[in-house]
Amino acid sequence: MTYRPTLKQIWQILGLGILLAPILLYNIPYFLRPEQTNEARSLFQGIDYRREFRTNPRPHPNSHC
């Protein structure tokens, strides 16, 4: 005796696949991207570009810690 999924089960599997596909398609490249690094360079005379990535968030300006 072979197992045959019902029409309802087929629609549920297709619906779940449609919902999960965008999540997988977005997350795979997100986790494969290179690690963000700090960068500093001079763009023009007197114009410097500095990019800093923080691992900890800046403290809130109204915090009293």
Short mmCIF file of all heavy atoms in Angstrom, two decimals:
data_model
loop_
_atom_site.label_atom_id
_atom_site.label_comp_id
_atom_site.label_asym_id
_atom_site.label_seq_id
_atom_site.Cartn_x
_atom_site.Cartn_y
_atom_site.Cartn_z
N MET A 1 0.85 -1.18 0.00
CA MET A 1 0.00 0.00 0.00
C MET A 1 0.89 1.25 0.00
O MET A 1 1.78 1.38 0.84
CB MET A 1 -0.89 -0.03 1.24
CG MET A 1 -1.87 1.07 1.31
SD MET A 1 -2.95 0.73 2.69
CE MET A 1 -4.10 1.99 2.50
N THR A 2 0.70 2.11 -0.95
CA THR A 2 1.52 3.31 -1.06
C THR A 2 0.79 4.50 -0.43
O THR A 2 -0.44 4.56 -0.39
CB THR A 2 1.83 3.62 -2.53
OG1 THR A 2 0.61 3.83 -3.22
CG2 THR A 2 2.60 2.49 -3.17
N TYR A 3 1.60 5.45 0.03
CA TYR A 3 1.04 6.66 0.66
C TYR A 3 0.79 7.71 -0.41
O TYR A 3 1.67 8.02 -1.21
CB TYR A 3 2.02 7.20 1.70
CG TYR A 3 1.60 8.53 2.26
CD1 TYR A 3 0.56 8.62 3.16
CD2 TYR A 3 2.24 9.70 1.87
CE1 TYR A 3 0.17 9.84 3.67
CE2 TYR A 3 1.87 10.93 2.37
CZ TYR A 3 0.82 11.00 3.28
OH TYR A 3 0.43 12.20 3.76
N ARG A 4 -0.41 8.25 -0.44
CA ARG A 4 -0.76 9.33 -1.37
C ARG A 4 -1.23 10.52 -0.56
O ARG A 4 -2.22 10.41 0.17
CB ARG A 4 -1.86 8.89 -2.32
CG ARG A 4 -1.37 7.88 -3.35
CD ARG A 4 -2.40 7.61 -4.40
NE ARG A 4 -2.75 8.86 -5.07
CZ ARG A 4 -3.82 9.03 -5.82
NH1 ARG A 4 -4.66 8.05 -6.00
NH2 ARG A 4 -4.06 10.18 -6.40
N PRO A 5 -0.53 11.66 -0.66
CA PRO A 5 -0.97 12.84 0.08
C PRO A 5 -2.30 13.36 -0.48
O PRO A 5 -2.57 13.27 -1.68
CB PRO A 5 0.15 13.85 -0.12
CG PRO A 5 0.89 13.39 -1.32
CD PRO A 5 0.68 11.91 -1.41
N THR A 6 -3.10 13.91 0.42
CA THR A 6 -4.38 14.47 -0.01
C THR A 6 -4.15 15.82 -0.67
O THR A 6 -3.08 16.41 -0.57
CB THR A 6 -5.33 14.64 1.19
OG1 THR A 6 -4.75 15.59 2.09
CG2 THR A 6 -5.55 13.32 1.90
N LEU A 7 -5.15 16.32 -1.34
CA LEU A 7 -5.06 17.61 -2.01
C LEU A 7 -4.81 18.72 -0.99
O LEU A 7 -4.03 19.65 -1.26
CB LEU A 7 -6.34 17.87 -2.81
CG LEU A 7 -6.34 19.07 -3.74
CD1 LEU A 7 -5.21 18.95 -4.76
CD2 LEU A 7 -7.67 19.21 -4.44
N LYS A 8 -5.41 18.62 0.17
CA LYS A 8 -5.20 19.63 1.22
C LYS A 8 -3.73 19.64 1.67
O LYS A 8 -3.14 20.71 1.86
CB LYS A 8 -6.11 19.34 2.41
CG LYS A 8 -5.99 20.35 3.52
CD LYS A 8 -6.93 20.03 4.67
CE LYS A 8 -6.76 21.05 5.77
NZ LYS A 8 -7.62 20.74 6.92
N GLN A 9 -3.14 18.47 1.82
CA GLN A 9 -1.73 18.40 2.23
C GLN A 9 -0.82 18.97 1.15
O GLN A 9 0.17 19.63 1.46
CB GLN A 9 -1.35 16.95 2.53
CG GLN A 9 -1.99 16.41 3.78
CD GLN A 9 -1.74 14.92 3.95
OE1 GLN A 9 -1.55 14.20 2.97
NE2 GLN A 9 -1.74 14.47 5.20
N ILE A 10 -1.13 18.74 -0.10
CA ILE A 10 -0.33 19.29 -1.19
C ILE A 10 -0.39 20.81 -1.16
O ILE A 10 0.63 21.49 -1.30
CB ILE A 10 -0.82 18.73 -2.55
CG1 ILE A 10 -0.51 17.23 -2.63
CG2 ILE A 10 -0.17 19.47 -3.71
CD1 ILE A 10 -1.12 16.54 -3.82
N TRP A 11 -1.58 21.39 -0.98
CA TRP A 11 -1.72 22.84 -0.91
C TRP A 11 -0.99 23.41 0.30
O TRP A 11 -0.39 24.50 0.22
CB TRP A 11 -3.19 23.25 -0.88
CG TRP A 11 -3.82 23.22 -2.23
CD1 TRP A 11 -4.78 22.36 -2.67
CD2 TRP A 11 -3.52 24.07 -3.34
NE1 TRP A 11 -5.10 22.61 -3.97
CE2 TRP A 11 -4.34 23.67 -4.41
CE3 TRP A 11 -2.64 25.12 -3.54
CZ2 TRP A 11 -4.31 24.29 -5.65
CZ3 TRP A 11 -2.61 25.75 -4.77
CH2 TRP A 11 -3.43 25.33 -5.81
N GLN A 12 -1.01 22.71 1.42
CA GLN A 12 -0.29 23.18 2.61
C GLN A 12 1.22 23.19 2.37
O GLN A 12 1.91 24.14 2.74
CB GLN A 12 -0.64 22.30 3.82
CG GLN A 12 -2.03 22.52 4.34
CD GLN A 12 -2.39 21.54 5.44
OE1 GLN A 12 -1.75 20.51 5.62
NE2 GLN A 12 -3.44 21.87 6.19
N ILE A 13 1.73 22.17 1.74
CA ILE A 13 3.17 22.10 1.45
C ILE A 13 3.56 23.21 0.45
O ILE A 13 4.58 23.88 0.63
CB ILE A 13 3.54 20.70 0.91
CG1 ILE A 13 3.40 19.67 2.03
CG2 ILE A 13 4.95 20.69 0.34
CD1 ILE A 13 3.49 18.24 1.56
N LEU A 14 2.75 23.41 -0.58
CA LEU A 14 3.03 24.48 -1.55
C LEU A 14 2.97 25.85 -0.88
O LEU A 14 3.82 26.72 -1.14
CB LEU A 14 2.05 24.42 -2.71
CG LEU A 14 2.26 23.29 -3.72
CD1 LEU A 14 1.11 23.26 -4.73
CD2 LEU A 14 3.59 23.46 -4.42
N GLY A 15 1.97 26.06 -0.03
CA GLY A 15 1.85 27.34 0.67
C GLY A 15 3.04 27.60 1.58
O GLY A 15 3.57 28.71 1.63
N LEU A 16 3.46 26.58 2.29
CA LEU A 16 4.62 26.72 3.17
C LEU A 16 5.87 27.02 2.35
O LEU A 16 6.69 27.86 2.73
CB LEU A 16 4.80 25.45 4.00
CG LEU A 16 5.90 25.47 5.04
CD1 LEU A 16 5.60 26.53 6.10
CD2 LEU A 16 6.03 24.11 5.69
N GLY A 17 6.02 26.35 1.22
CA GLY A 17 7.17 26.61 0.35
C GLY A 17 7.17 28.03 -0.18
O GLY A 17 8.21 28.67 -0.24
N ILE A 18 6.00 28.54 -0.54
CA ILE A 18 5.91 29.92 -1.04
C ILE A 18 6.27 30.92 0.05
O ILE A 18 6.89 31.94 -0.21
CB ILE A 18 4.50 30.17 -1.63
CG1 ILE A 18 4.34 29.39 -2.93
CG2 ILE A 18 4.25 31.66 -1.84
CD1 ILE A 18 2.94 29.38 -3.47
N LEU A 19 5.89 30.62 1.29
CA LEU A 19 6.21 31.53 2.40
C LEU A 19 7.68 31.46 2.79
O LEU A 19 8.27 32.47 3.16
CB LEU A 19 5.33 31.22 3.61
CG LEU A 19 3.86 31.57 3.47
CD1 LEU A 19 3.08 31.10 4.68
CD2 LEU A 19 3.68 33.07 3.28
N LEU A 20 8.28 30.29 2.71
CA LEU A 20 9.67 30.13 3.14
C LEU A 20 10.69 30.52 2.07
O LEU A 20 11.81 30.88 2.41
CB LEU A 20 9.92 28.68 3.57
CG LEU A 20 9.26 28.26 4.86
CD1 LEU A 20 9.56 26.80 5.16
CD2 LEU A 20 9.69 29.13 6.02
N ALA A 21 10.31 30.49 0.82
CA ALA A 21 11.26 30.78 -0.26
C ALA A 21 11.88 32.18 -0.14
O ALA A 21 13.10 32.31 -0.23
CB ALA A 21 10.59 30.60 -1.62
N PRO A 22 11.10 33.26 0.08
CA PRO A 22 11.73 34.57 0.20
C PRO A 22 12.67 34.68 1.40
O PRO A 22 13.71 35.34 1.33
CB PRO A 22 10.56 35.55 0.35
CG PRO A 22 9.37 34.81 -0.13
CD PRO A 22 9.65 33.36 0.08
N ILE A 23 12.31 34.02 2.48
CA ILE A 23 13.17 34.06 3.67
C ILE A 23 14.51 33.40 3.35
O ILE A 23 15.57 33.95 3.67
CB ILE A 23 12.47 33.37 4.86
CG1 ILE A 23 11.22 34.16 5.26
CG2 ILE A 23 13.42 33.20 6.04
CD1 ILE A 23 10.35 33.46 6.27
N LEU A 24 14.49 32.26 2.73
CA LEU A 24 15.73 31.57 2.38
C LEU A 24 16.53 32.34 1.34
O LEU A 24 17.75 32.46 1.44
CB LEU A 24 15.42 30.16 1.87
CG LEU A 24 14.90 29.19 2.92
CD1 LEU A 24 14.47 27.89 2.26
CD2 LEU A 24 15.93 28.94 3.99
N LEU A 25 15.85 32.90 0.35
CA LEU A 25 16.55 33.62 -0.71
C LEU A 25 17.20 34.90 -0.17
O LEU A 25 18.20 35.35 -0.71
CB LEU A 25 15.60 33.95 -1.85
CG LEU A 25 15.13 32.74 -2.66
CD1 LEU A 25 14.07 33.15 -3.68
CD2 LEU A 25 16.29 32.06 -3.34
N TYR A 26 16.63 35.50 0.87
CA TYR A 26 17.24 36.70 1.45
C TYR A 26 18.36 36.34 2.42
O TYR A 26 19.41 36.98 2.43
CB TYR A 26 16.18 37.53 2.19
CG TYR A 26 16.78 38.68 2.95
CD1 TYR A 26 17.20 39.82 2.30
CD2 TYR A 26 16.96 38.61 4.33
CE1 TYR A 26 17.78 40.88 2.99
CE2 TYR A 26 17.54 39.65 5.03
CZ TYR A 26 17.94 40.79 4.36
OH TYR A 26 18.52 41.81 5.04
N ASN A 27 18.16 35.35 3.25
CA ASN A 27 19.10 35.04 4.32
C ASN A 27 20.39 34.38 3.85
O ASN A 27 21.43 34.59 4.46
CB ASN A 27 18.44 34.17 5.39
CG ASN A 27 17.57 35.00 6.30
OD1 ASN A 27 17.88 36.14 6.60
ND2 ASN A 27 16.46 34.42 6.73
N ILE A 28 20.36 33.61 2.81
CA ILE A 28 21.58 32.94 2.35
C ILE A 28 22.64 33.96 1.94
O ILE A 28 23.76 33.92 2.43
CB ILE A 28 21.25 31.93 1.23
CG1 ILE A 28 20.48 30.75 1.82
CG2 ILE A 28 22.52 31.46 0.54
CD1 ILE A 28 19.93 29.79 0.80
N PRO A 29 22.33 34.95 1.08
CA PRO A 29 23.37 35.94 0.75
C PRO A 29 23.75 36.82 1.95
O PRO A 29 24.89 37.26 2.05
CB PRO A 29 22.73 36.79 -0.36
CG PRO A 29 21.61 35.99 -0.89
CD PRO A 29 21.16 35.11 0.23
N TYR A 30 22.81 37.06 2.86
CA TYR A 30 23.10 37.89 4.03
C TYR A 30 24.21 37.27 4.87
O TYR A 30 25.12 37.96 5.31
CB TYR A 30 21.84 38.07 4.87
CG TYR A 30 22.06 38.85 6.13
CD1 TYR A 30 22.12 40.24 6.10
CD2 TYR A 30 22.23 38.21 7.35
CE1 TYR A 30 22.33 40.97 7.25
CE2 TYR A 30 22.44 38.92 8.51
CZ TYR A 30 22.50 40.31 8.45
OH TYR A 30 22.71 41.01 9.61
N PHE A 31 24.15 35.98 5.08
CA PHE A 31 25.16 35.33 5.93
C PHE A 31 26.44 35.00 5.16
O PHE A 31 27.45 34.68 5.78
CB PHE A 31 24.57 34.08 6.57
CG PHE A 31 23.58 34.41 7.65
CD1 PHE A 31 22.23 34.19 7.46
CD2 PHE A 31 23.99 34.98 8.84
CE1 PHE A 31 21.31 34.50 8.44
CE2 PHE A 31 23.09 35.30 9.83
CZ PHE A 31 21.74 35.06 9.64
N LEU A 32 26.44 35.06 3.85
CA LEU A 32 27.64 34.79 3.07
C LEU A 32 28.44 36.04 2.74
O LEU A 32 29.52 35.95 2.18
CB LEU A 32 27.26 34.08 1.77
CG LEU A 32 26.72 32.67 1.91
CD1 LEU A 32 26.33 32.12 0.55
CD2 LEU A 32 27.72 31.76 2.60
N ARG A 33 27.93 37.23 3.09
CA ARG A 33 28.63 38.46 2.75
C ARG A 33 29.90 38.61 3.60
O ARG A 33 29.99 38.06 4.70
CB ARG A 33 27.72 39.67 2.93
CG ARG A 33 27.39 39.97 4.37
CD ARG A 33 26.46 41.14 4.45
NE ARG A 33 26.22 41.45 5.85
CZ ARG A 33 25.53 42.48 6.26
NH1 ARG A 33 25.00 43.30 5.39
NH2 ARG A 33 25.36 42.70 7.54
N PRO A 34 30.87 39.35 3.11
CA PRO A 34 32.11 39.52 3.87
C PRO A 34 31.87 40.34 5.14
O PRO A 34 30.92 41.13 5.21
CB PRO A 34 33.04 40.26 2.92
CG PRO A 34 32.16 40.85 1.89
CD PRO A 34 30.91 40.03 1.82
N GLU A 35 32.75 40.14 6.11
CA GLU A 35 32.62 40.85 7.37
C GLU A 35 32.89 42.34 7.16
O GLU A 35 33.76 42.73 6.39
CB GLU A 35 33.62 40.29 8.39
CG GLU A 35 33.41 40.85 9.77
CD GLU A 35 34.27 40.15 10.79
OE1 GLU A 35 34.60 38.97 10.57
OE2 GLU A 35 34.60 40.78 11.80
N GLN A 36 32.12 43.18 7.84
CA GLN A 36 32.27 44.62 7.69
C GLN A 36 33.50 45.08 8.48
O GLN A 36 33.70 44.67 9.62
CB GLN A 36 31.02 45.33 8.18
CG GLN A 36 29.80 44.96 7.35
CD GLN A 36 28.52 45.54 7.92
OE1 GLN A 36 28.43 45.81 9.10
NE2 GLN A 36 27.54 45.72 7.06
N THR A 37 34.29 45.93 7.85
CA THR A 37 35.51 46.41 8.48
C THR A 37 35.53 47.93 8.50
O THR A 37 34.85 48.58 7.70
CB THR A 37 36.75 45.90 7.73
OG1 THR A 37 36.66 46.36 6.38
CG2 THR A 37 36.85 44.39 7.76
N ASN A 38 36.34 48.47 9.40
CA ASN A 38 36.52 49.91 9.45
C ASN A 38 37.33 50.36 8.24
O ASN A 38 38.16 49.63 7.72
CB ASN A 38 37.25 50.32 10.73
CG ASN A 38 36.42 50.03 11.96
OD1 ASN A 38 35.20 50.00 11.90
ND2 ASN A 38 37.08 49.84 13.07
N GLU A 39 37.06 51.59 7.81
CA GLU A 39 37.76 52.10 6.64
C GLU A 39 37.96 53.61 6.81
O GLU A 39 37.06 54.30 7.29
CB GLU A 39 36.93 51.84 5.38
CG GLU A 39 37.58 52.32 4.11
CD GLU A 39 36.73 52.03 2.89
OE1 GLU A 39 35.77 51.26 2.97
OE2 GLU A 39 37.04 52.62 1.84
N ALA A 40 39.11 54.07 6.46
CA ALA A 40 39.41 55.51 6.47
C ALA A 40 40.22 55.83 5.23
O ALA A 40 41.19 55.15 4.93
CB ALA A 40 40.17 55.87 7.73
N ARG A 41 39.77 56.84 4.50
CA ARG A 41 40.52 57.25 3.32
C ARG A 41 40.23 58.72 3.02
O ARG A 41 39.22 59.26 3.43
CB ARG A 41 40.19 56.38 2.12
CG ARG A 41 38.76 56.41 1.69
CD ARG A 41 38.54 55.52 0.50
NE ARG A 41 37.13 55.14 0.43
CZ ARG A 41 36.55 54.68 -0.63
NH1 ARG A 41 37.24 54.48 -1.72
NH2 ARG A 41 35.28 54.37 -0.62
N SER A 42 41.13 59.30 2.29
CA SER A 42 40.99 60.70 1.90
C SER A 42 40.31 60.74 0.54
O SER A 42 40.80 60.16 -0.43
CB SER A 42 42.37 61.36 1.84
OG SER A 42 42.23 62.69 1.40
N LEU A 43 39.17 61.41 0.47
CA LEU A 43 38.46 61.52 -0.79
C LEU A 43 39.01 62.66 -1.65
O LEU A 43 39.27 62.49 -2.82
CB LEU A 43 36.96 61.73 -0.53
CG LEU A 43 36.25 60.60 0.22
CD1 LEU A 43 34.81 60.97 0.47
CD2 LEU A 43 36.35 59.30 -0.56
N PHE A 44 39.15 63.81 -1.03
CA PHE A 44 39.71 64.99 -1.69
C PHE A 44 40.58 65.70 -0.68
O PHE A 44 40.58 65.34 0.51
CB PHE A 44 38.60 65.93 -2.18
CG PHE A 44 37.62 65.29 -3.12
CD1 PHE A 44 36.38 64.87 -2.68
CD2 PHE A 44 37.95 65.10 -4.45
CE1 PHE A 44 35.49 64.28 -3.53
CE2 PHE A 44 37.05 64.50 -5.32
CZ PHE A 44 35.82 64.10 -4.86
N GLN A 45 41.28 66.70 -1.10
CA GLN A 45 42.11 67.46 -0.17
C GLN A 45 41.21 68.10 0.89
O GLN A 45 40.30 68.87 0.58
CB GLN A 45 42.90 68.53 -0.91
CG GLN A 45 43.86 69.28 -0.02
CD GLN A 45 44.67 70.29 -0.81
OE1 GLN A 45 44.52 70.42 -2.02
NE2 GLN A 45 45.51 71.01 -0.12
N GLY A 46 41.44 67.73 2.14
CA GLY A 46 40.65 68.26 3.25
C GLY A 46 39.36 67.51 3.52
O GLY A 46 38.66 67.82 4.47
N ILE A 47 39.01 66.53 2.70
CA ILE A 47 37.78 65.73 2.89
C ILE A 47 38.20 64.30 3.17
O ILE A 47 38.75 63.62 2.31
CB ILE A 47 36.87 65.76 1.64
CG1 ILE A 47 36.57 67.18 1.21
CG2 ILE A 47 35.61 64.95 1.89
CD1 ILE A 47 35.69 67.95 2.16
N ASP A 48 37.96 63.87 4.41
CA ASP A 48 38.30 62.51 4.82
C ASP A 48 37.02 61.70 5.03
O ASP A 48 36.03 62.21 5.56
CB ASP A 48 39.12 62.51 6.10
CG ASP A 48 40.48 63.15 5.90
OD1 ASP A 48 41.04 62.98 4.81
OD2 ASP A 48 40.96 63.82 6.83
N TYR A 49 37.06 60.46 4.62
CA TYR A 49 35.94 59.54 4.79
C TYR A 49 36.34 58.52 5.84
O TYR A 49 37.40 57.92 5.78
CB TYR A 49 35.63 58.84 3.46
CG TYR A 49 34.64 57.72 3.56
CD1 TYR A 49 33.29 57.97 3.70
CD2 TYR A 49 35.06 56.39 3.52
CE1 TYR A 49 32.36 56.95 3.78
CE2 TYR A 49 34.15 55.35 3.61
CZ TYR A 49 32.81 55.65 3.73
OH TYR A 49 31.91 54.62 3.82
N ARG A 50 35.48 58.34 6.85
CA ARG A 50 35.77 57.37 7.90
C ARG A 50 34.50 56.58 8.18
O ARG A 50 33.45 57.15 8.46
CB ARG A 50 36.23 58.09 9.17
CG ARG A 50 36.73 57.13 10.22
CD ARG A 50 37.34 57.86 11.38
NE ARG A 50 36.27 58.52 12.11
CZ ARG A 50 36.47 59.47 13.01
NH1 ARG A 50 37.67 59.90 13.25
NH2 ARG A 50 35.46 60.00 13.63
N ARG A 51 34.61 55.25 8.08
CA ARG A 51 33.49 54.36 8.36
C ARG A 51 33.88 53.47 9.52
O ARG A 51 34.90 52.78 9.47
CB ARG A 51 33.17 53.51 7.13
CG ARG A 51 32.02 52.56 7.35
CD ARG A 51 31.63 51.87 6.08
NE ARG A 51 32.73 51.07 5.57
CZ ARG A 51 32.68 50.37 4.45
NH1 ARG A 51 31.60 50.39 3.71
NH2 ARG A 51 33.71 49.66 4.06
N GLU A 52 33.08 53.50 10.57
CA GLU A 52 33.36 52.70 11.77
C GLU A 52 32.18 51.77 12.04
O GLU A 52 31.04 52.22 12.07
CB GLU A 52 33.59 53.61 12.98
CG GLU A 52 34.78 54.51 12.84
CD GLU A 52 34.93 55.46 14.03
OE1 GLU A 52 34.00 55.54 14.86
OE2 GLU A 52 35.96 56.13 14.09
N PHE A 53 32.49 50.53 12.22
CA PHE A 53 31.46 49.56 12.59
C PHE A 53 31.60 49.24 14.06
O PHE A 53 32.69 48.92 14.54
CB PHE A 53 31.58 48.29 11.74
CG PHE A 53 31.19 48.51 10.32
CD1 PHE A 53 32.14 48.77 9.36
CD2 PHE A 53 29.87 48.51 9.95
CE1 PHE A 53 31.78 49.00 8.05
CE2 PHE A 53 29.49 48.75 8.65
CZ PHE A 53 30.45 48.99 7.70
N ARG A 54 30.51 49.31 14.76
CA ARG A 54 30.53 49.08 16.21
C ARG A 54 29.97 47.70 16.51
O ARG A 54 29.02 47.25 15.88
CB ARG A 54 29.68 50.13 16.92
CG ARG A 54 30.17 51.54 16.68
CD ARG A 54 29.16 52.52 17.23
NE ARG A 54 29.50 53.86 16.82
CZ ARG A 54 30.09 54.73 17.61
NH1 ARG A 54 30.37 54.43 18.85
NH2 ARG A 54 30.36 55.94 17.17
N THR A 55 30.56 47.06 17.50
CA THR A 55 30.02 45.78 17.95
C THR A 55 29.03 46.00 19.08
O THR A 55 28.13 45.20 19.27
CB THR A 55 31.13 44.85 18.43
OG1 THR A 55 31.90 45.52 19.43
CG2 THR A 55 32.04 44.45 17.27
N ASN A 56 29.18 47.09 19.80
CA ASN A 56 28.25 47.44 20.87
C ASN A 56 27.55 48.74 20.50
O ASN A 56 28.17 49.66 19.96
CB ASN A 56 28.99 47.64 22.20
CG ASN A 56 29.65 46.37 22.67
OD1 ASN A 56 29.13 45.29 22.47
ND2 ASN A 56 30.82 46.50 23.26
N PRO A 57 26.26 48.87 20.82
CA PRO A 57 25.57 50.11 20.48
C PRO A 57 26.07 51.27 21.35
O PRO A 57 26.59 51.07 22.45
CB PRO A 57 24.10 49.79 20.78
CG PRO A 57 24.16 48.68 21.76
CD PRO A 57 25.41 47.90 21.45
N ARG A 58 25.91 52.47 20.82
CA ARG A 58 26.27 53.65 21.59
C ARG A 58 25.31 53.77 22.77
O ARG A 58 24.12 53.41 22.66
CB ARG A 58 26.18 54.90 20.73
CG ARG A 58 27.28 54.96 19.70
CD ARG A 58 27.21 56.25 18.95
NE ARG A 58 26.15 56.12 17.95
CZ ARG A 58 25.77 57.09 17.13
NH1 ARG A 58 26.32 58.26 17.21
NH2 ARG A 58 24.83 56.88 16.25
N PRO A 59 25.76 54.29 23.90
CA PRO A 59 24.83 54.47 25.03
C PRO A 59 23.76 55.51 24.70
O PRO A 59 24.00 56.44 23.94
CB PRO A 59 25.73 54.93 26.17
CG PRO A 59 27.00 55.35 25.55
CD PRO A 59 27.11 54.70 24.21
N HIS A 60 22.62 55.33 25.27
CA HIS A 60 21.52 56.26 25.07
C HIS A 60 21.90 57.60 25.71
O HIS A 60 22.44 57.64 26.81
CB HIS A 60 20.23 55.70 25.70
CG HIS A 60 19.01 56.45 25.31
ND1 HIS A 60 18.57 57.55 25.98
CD2 HIS A 60 18.17 56.28 24.27
CE1 HIS A 60 17.48 58.02 25.40
NE2 HIS A 60 17.21 57.24 24.35
N PRO A 61 21.60 58.73 25.06
CA PRO A 61 22.03 60.03 25.59
C PRO A 61 21.42 60.36 26.95
O PRO A 61 22.01 61.11 27.72
CB PRO A 61 21.58 61.04 24.54
CG PRO A 61 20.79 60.32 23.54
CD PRO A 61 20.93 58.86 23.78
N ASN A 62 20.27 59.81 27.29
CA ASN A 62 19.62 60.12 28.56
C ASN A 62 19.89 59.08 29.64
O ASN A 62 19.34 59.17 30.72
CB ASN A 62 18.12 60.27 28.37
CG ASN A 62 17.78 61.45 27.47
OD1 ASN A 62 18.51 62.44 27.45
ND2 ASN A 62 16.71 61.33 26.71
N SER A 63 20.74 58.10 29.35
CA SER A 63 21.02 57.08 30.36
C SER A 63 21.98 57.63 31.41
O SER A 63 22.84 58.45 31.12
CB SER A 63 21.60 55.82 29.72
OG SER A 63 22.88 56.11 29.21
N HIS A 64 21.80 57.21 32.62
CA HIS A 64 22.62 57.72 33.73
C HIS A 64 23.56 56.65 34.25
O HIS A 64 23.91 56.64 35.41
CB HIS A 64 21.69 58.20 34.87
CG HIS A 64 20.78 59.29 34.43
ND1 HIS A 64 21.20 60.57 34.18
CD2 HIS A 64 19.46 59.30 34.16
CE1 HIS A 64 20.20 61.33 33.81
NE2 HIS A 64 19.11 60.56 33.77
N CYS A 65 24.00 55.74 33.40
CA CYS A 65 24.91 54.66 33.84
C CYS A 65 26.34 55.09 33.73
O CYS A 65 26.80 55.71 32.86
CB CYS A 65 24.68 53.40 33.01
SG CYS A 65 23.05 52.71 33.26
#
